[in-house]
């Protein structure tokens, strides 16, 4: 199963796993990000 994480979920997965539920962590074997998420992260970094 492929899961598309939104930007915040991906940031939490990358930096603070405790913010995600156990269910979300079990589903996170194959992560997909949209181009919009990459764009949004760039904006957040600025």
């Amino acid at each position: 199963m492929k899961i598309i994480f939104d930007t915040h979920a991906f940031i939490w997965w990358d930096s603070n796993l405790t913010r995600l539920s156990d269910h979300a962590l079990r589903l996170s074997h194959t992560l997909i990000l949209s181009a919009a998420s990459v764009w949004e992260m760039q904006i957040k970094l600025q």
Side-chain angles (χ1 to χ4, degrees):
M1 177 186 314
K2 295 180 182 176
I3 303 294
I4 298 176
F5 269 23
D6 74 350
T7 305
H8 285 99
F10 175 76
I11 291 170
W12 295 339
W13 176 83
D14 185 52
S15 63
N16 188 358
L17 289 176
T18 61
R19 305 243 1 219
L20 295 175
S21 69
D22 290 337
H23 183 70
L25 290 173
R26 282 193 302 273
L27 294 175
S28 65
H29 294 291
T30 302
L31 298 178
I32 298 173
L33 287 176
S34 70
S37 289
V38 175
W39 172 73
E40 186 177 1
M41 284 186 278
Q42 180 62 35
I43 289 172
K44 290 181 183 299
L45 287 172
Q46 292 177 3

